[in-house]
Amino acid sequence: MPRLASPLRTIRVALLICGELPQTLVASHGDFHAIYQRWLKNSLPRYPGTRLVMHGYDVARMKYPKESQLSKYDAVMLTGSPSDAWADEPWVNRLVSFVRHVGDEHPHVKIYGICFGHQIVNRALGGTAQRNTKGWELGRTTVHTTDVGKMLFGVDKLELQQIHQDHVPISSFPSSLSSNGVYPLGYTDNTDNHGLVKFHSQSPNFTNYSNRHSSHLARQIHVMTVQGHPEFNDTLVADITKELHDVDLNVIDLRKQCSSEVEDPSHDTSRIDGNEVLEASKRDDGIDVVGRAFWRLFGVEEFRKFVVLVSDWLEDGGNNNAPRHQTYCQRAMIDDRSILRRSWGRDHEVRV
């Protein structure tokens, strides 16, 4: 009887590291590579069959994947940064050009940007990054989702960590977003652009989807960004804010307006272990909502159901005509036969 291979699939991410944390914070929280990897692994649905491989590239020092390597990645992800996305600096300008290049020449590679990365990707799509005249957004913040945001995230609002004073206003784009297959995901009173998605099709058909998350819709997304920090937690935000106090006094008054959960004087933030990081992160939507949405870009939730069904199918003797197999493939809209073939032995042919 053919057996399922393990793991069934690997999602490869090129992490474009756009800055670094102070060493005092790296000691307790890890560097950007560790933080982003921890976030994605913690948000990965708990079932065997999918693994994450992440390679970091220090783009602030002009380190990039080679052209021949890009085709091997499923996604490129841009991190946050203490730098300004609107700065006329060589490394920032090259990063914008690189994002455009990946979007144009490697359409199978998904592009994902967070905070500074969100603003860089928005620049590549035609928007203008600038200082927000309404000031900082800092700490846990409620982000209201748009209709497309509701479809992708499955919620009417998100609770996400924020540390930014720059933004890319919707009005800064030269033309209608939807005319280019681009749709906003969320907004706050302070910032009208809290994330975008760009679909492979310029005219995606939303009529078949409800206002709750659709994995099939997510798989049609080419570019996704979020202004907030789904990879951060309360403790890390509090520690970063302490660092900001020493360099930008304008942050102090804003921090006083933040939720008391961000700043707890009784809590020792000098050290934090992995379990505490996970527990803190679970209190917002960074892992369970935004992180899970990342995995839906690759159909991972559907794949979990597929793993269970194929196991049952193999118990039936691997009959290609097994009704459960036929029914599931239609329901899950799995149209990539190579994925089916990789699910068990290399020589086992599947016809659906």
Side-chain angles (χ1 to χ4, degrees):
M1 178 185 297
R3 295 183 179 181
L4 286 171
S6 180
L8 296 184
R9 65 190 302 203
T10 298
I11 301 299
R12 293 178 170 83
V13 176
L15 185 68
L16 307 186
I17 302 172
C18 305
E20 57 187 18
L21 293 174
Q23 285 303 308
T24 53
L25 300 188
V26 171
S28 53
H29 298 282
D31 58 14
F32 272 166
H33 189 281
I35 290 170
Y36 279 78
Q37 185 164 261
R38 182 169 60 226
W39 166 57
L40 289 181
K41 285 187 174 180
N42 286 339
S43 62
L44 178 65
R46 302 298 184 184
Y47 65 92
T50 301
R51 66 168 182 162
L52 170 70
V53 172
M54 177 179 284
H55 299 142
Y57 297 90
D58 189 350
V59 294
R61 293 180 172 85
M62 301 290 193
K63 304 295 184 181
Y64 284 86
K66 295 179 180 179
E67 184 68 20
S68 60
Q69 295 174 310
L70 281 174
S71 61
K72 300 178 182 179
Y73 287 111
D74 298 285
V76 295
M77 177 175 288
L78 288 73
T79 72
S81 174
S83 299
D84 297 318
W86 45 263
D88 185 17
E89 297 183 10
W91 79 270
V92 173
N93 293 333
R94 181 180 177 186
L95 183 57
V96 174
S97 297
F98 179 79
V99 171
R100 289 189 184 126
H101 171 74
V102 173
D104 293 340
E105 302 299 327
H106 299 273
H108 71 284
V109 179
K110 296 185 184 294
I111 299 170
Y112 196 105
I114 290 178
C115 196
F116 173 89
H118 152 83
Q119 295 162 15
I120 291 293
V121 175
N122 276 236
R123 280 189 58 182
L125 291 173
T128 302
Q130 57 193 254
R131 193 74 84 207
N132 193 335
T133 58
K134 294 183 179 179
W136 286 81
E137 280 190 315
L138 183 64
R140 187 193 304 263
T141 302
T142 299
V143 178
H144 300 280
T145 54
T146 62
D147 288 343
V148 175
K150 290 180 177 63
M151 293 180 197
L152 179 61
F153 297 121
V155 296
D156 297 324
K157 59 184 180 180
L158 297 165
E159 296 293 327
L160 288 179
Q161 303 292 343
Q162 311 286 336
I163 307 180
H164 68 96
Q165 62 176 330
D166 297 338
H167 69 150
V168 182
I170 296 295
S171 61
S172 71
F173 287 84
S175 60
S176 169
L177 292 179
S178 60
S179 65
N180 295 312
V182 180
Y183 296 84
L185 293 176
Y187 59 91
T188 64
D189 291 339
N190 193 78
T191 305
D192 71 345
N193 177 7
H194 258 275
L196 298 174
V197 289
K198 184 178 189 299
F199 291 90
H200 284 288
S201 170
Q202 289 191 0
S203 301
N205 184 357
F206 298 116
T207 58
N208 295 328
Y209 306 112
S210 68
N211 64 345
R212 297 305 168 198
H213 63 71
S214 167
S215 294
H216 188 58
L217 180 67
R219 289 168 63 184
Q220 300 178 44
I221 291 173
H222 183 199
V223 178
M224 178 175 175
T225 71
V226 289
Q227 175 62 77
H229 283 280
E231 81 286 12
F232 284 0
N233 56 68
D234 289 336
T235 308
L236 179 52
V237 169
D239 286 353
I240 293 175
T241 303
K242 290 177 182 178
E243 293 290 330
L244 290 176
H245 284 181
D246 296 331
V247 298
D248 190 345
L249 297 180
N250 292 325
V251 178
I252 296 179
D253 290 340
L254 181 56
R255 189 183 185 194
K256 293 177 181 178
Q257 301 171 20
C258 294
S259 167
S260 60
E261 296 180 30
V262 177
E263 183 178 16
D264 181 358
S266 66
H267 182 66
D268 179 10
T269 59
S270 61
R271 299 294 298 178
I272 183 168
D273 60 30
N275 291 330
E276 192 174 359
V277 168
L278 181 56
E279 288 302 314
S281 297
K282 282 184 176 178
R283 292 196 294 267
D284 57 48
D285 293 319
I287 289 177
D288 292 333
V289 179
V290 179
R292 290 292 177 90
F294 169 84
W295 289 109
R296 280 197 295 276
L297 301 182
F298 307 96
V300 168
E301 283 196 344
E302 292 176 1
F303 213 75
R304 171 177 58 182
K305 299 174 185 176
F306 175 68
V307 170
V308 173
L309 186 128
V310 169
S311 296
D312 292 341
W313 177 59
L314 291 178
E315 290 180 1
D316 290 339
N319 181 356
N320 282 336
N321 295 319
R324 283 184 295 178
H325 175 243
Q326 297 278 355
T327 301
Y328 179 76
C329 288
Q330 294 173 4
R331 187 174 76 247
M333 294 171 283
I334 293 178
D335 53 7
D336 186 346
R337 298 187 184 187
S338 65
I339 291 179
L340 301 179
R341 295 188 187 106
R342 287 200 303 270
S343 301
W344 48 92
R346 179 182 301 173
D347 299 330
H348 189 76
E349 183 71 13
V350 177
R351 297 178 179 86
V352 293

